[in-house]
Amino acid sequence: MSMNRRTFSAAAAAACVAGALPMTSAFAQKKIVLGFAQVGAESEWRTANTESIKSAAQEAGIDLKFSDAQQKQENQIKAIRSYIAQKVDVIAFSPVVETGFENVLREAKAAKIPVVLTDRSVKVKDDSLYVTFMGSDFVEEGRKAGRWLVENQKGNKGPVNIVELQGTVGSAPAIDRKKGFEEIIKADPKFKIIRSQTGDFTRAKGKEVMEAFLKAEGKNINVLFAHNDDMAIGAIQAIEEAGMKPAKDITIISIDAVKGAFEAMMAGKLNVSVECSPLLGPQLMSAVKDIVAGKPVPKRIITKEGIFPMETAKAEFPSRKY
Ligand code: GZL
């Protein structure tokens, strides 16, 4: 069990005063210990996010304790409790769902361990339970998807029947992307969401649910809005197995802009992907160092992101970092 920063500093100071250690070396040796409770490994996005966090911790000289919750909230809570018991300096996590973390966050606060939210946020009455939330604006990502569709369907008097593959039920990205998308399309009654179901952000579930949509609605489907690229890629397989042409018979809009999405767009099978950057590692490590140094950190740090229609994919692909 690693001694935490406070007890170490007190011991080091005592040793220095007693002349047992030169003042500088003692303090320089103690690495910051960060406990990170990751959602899982459900998508290309998550894999890139984990890679960014691990490489940034190494780069920053931060001792990273990492856990994968396999998309189960109880596993994330268990991991956070273990970091509290280990007296880490900072805890960071990407809440798999928005609710149900209040108690464990209170335990971290009682243990005087600061918490950073990355990627996804939580719904809590007391926002002093976390120092900062860094990640995308998911409502804006949904709006970007909606605006692209409105523009793309300008010449079509409708109806435009949409099926929607939602992300993990109760997660901030699923709730907010739906909200942003509907905010934009509700302006024109030609747009109708005729089926909407969770594919839990995975390719396998995205394919399975799209197969059910196709069985129920078939050629009545004009558009697929998928909350992430992995579900869109699974749905593309289902559309092809049903003998239809993805991105032609069914317009496909998704979010993340991972490598797999660019490959699908270059193959002419995906119409557009809204960027959601997983590369939060460097920002997280810089915030952790500031928190440990007692410097102020903004309550909300929003990642800047774009949108990539099929036509831009070939030119953009070589410079993509995830
Ligand atoms: C978004 C992130 C979502 C991605 C999915 O920030 O939480 O979770 O869009 C991932 O690909 O599974």
Side-chain angles (χ1 to χ4, degrees):
M1 178 181 321
S2 75
M3 192 189 281
N4 82 347
R5 171 163 299 283
R6 281 184 302 282
T7 35
F8 177 86
S9 306
C16 294
V17 166
L21 272 173
M23 190 60 94
T24 48
S25 67
F27 286 88
Q29 271 154 12
K30 180 86 176 78
K31 275 185 155 187
I32 293 173
V33 182
L34 168 65
F36 191 90
Q38 181 59 292
V39 165
E42 72 281 3
S43 61
E44 258 190 78
W45 190 98
R46 190 63 56 196
T47 305
N49 180 245
T50 291
E51 175 44 40
S52 174
I53 288 160
K54 288 184 173 175
S55 54
Q58 193 156 30
E59 185 73 21
I62 285 176
D63 178 0
L64 178 70
K65 295 180 180 307
F66 184 90
S67 64
D68 170 339
Q70 291 157 348
Q71 289 187 287
K72 290 185 177 57
Q73 180 172 35
E74 65 268 21
N75 290 346
Q76 267 194 318
I77 291 172
K78 243 187 262 158
I80 293 168
R81 286 210 165 103
S82 83
Y83 296 144
I84 294 171
Q86 295 173 59
K87 297 187 169 54
V88 299
D89 297 303
V90 181
I91 290 170
F93 74 118
S94 169
V96 60
V97 291
E98 287 191 326
T99 55
F101 285 102
E102 200 115 18
N103 289 342
V104 73
L105 289 176
R106 279 207 202 94
E107 292 164 31
K109 186 174 180 181
K112 297 189 176 33
I113 300 176
V115 174
V116 174
L117 301 180
T118 71
D119 166 28
R120 301 181 185 178
S121 190
V122 288
K123 286 257 180 287
V124 288
K125 286 184 274 309
D126 171 8
D127 74 1
S128 76
L129 292 174
Y130 61 89
V131 174
T132 181
F133 162 41
M134 61 177 67
S136 311
D137 176 345
F138 300 132
V139 178
E140 185 53 23
E141 289 173 352
R143 290 193 196 103
K144 284 177 185 171
R147 289 187 202 113
W148 181 89
L149 182 62
V150 167
E151 183 57 28
N152 175 269
Q153 297 288 322
K154 219 166 27 188
N156 176 357
K157 66 179 184 355
V160 179
N161 295 324
I162 303 162
V163 293
E164 180 183 27
L165 286 171
Q166 295 184 36
T168 302
V169 175
S171 68
I175 293 165
D176 289 352
R177 285 170 182 167
K178 181 174 189 55
K179 188 169 149 203
F181 183 74
E182 289 177 349
E183 181 190 299
I184 299 298
I185 65 167
K186 71 172 189 290
D188 187 333
K190 74 181 180 184
F191 293 112
K192 281 207 348 263
I193 297 179
I194 57 172
R195 300 267 169 169
S196 180
Q197 195 179 325
T198 184
D200 210 15
F201 283 133
T202 68
R203 291 190 183 197
K205 200 94 177 80
K207 182 179 182 200
E208 186 189 310
V209 174
M210 190 65 199
E211 283 164 351
F213 286 164
L214 287 161
K215 209 171 268 144
E217 297 289 352
K219 301 224 182 306
N220 195 27
I221 300 170
N222 306 114
V223 176
L224 163 63
F225 170 46
H227 289 188
N228 85 327
D229 294 332
D230 286 73
M231 294 189 291
I233 290 164
I236 286 167
Q237 290 165 6
I239 292 166
E240 290 181 314
E241 287 171 11
M244 294 168 81
K245 290 192 184 62
K248 296 172 187 64
D249 299 333
I250 296 178
T251 297
I252 306 177
I253 308 165
S254 82
I255 299 178
D256 279 352
V258 294
K259 275 198 173 66
F262 279 83
E263 286 155 352
M265 287 194 280
M266 290 188 289
K269 297 182 180 178
L270 173 65
N271 295 90
V272 60
S273 186
V274 174
E275 187 178 33
C276 173
S277 176
L279 307 180
L280 298 172
Q283 253 177 330
L284 171 58
M285 299 313 148
S286 143
V288 165
K289 285 188 171 176
D290 285 349
I291 290 167
V292 169
K295 290 182 192 156
V297 174
K299 195 71 185 171
R300 178 75 174 94
I301 304 168
I302 296 185
T303 22
K304 295 186 179 42
E305 300 162 338
I307 179 168
F308 296 95
M310 183 193 274
E311 311 73 55
T312 67
K314 196 160 181 293
E316 291 286 346
F317 188 59
S319 58
R320 297 297 298 162
K321 295 192 179 66
Y322 66 90

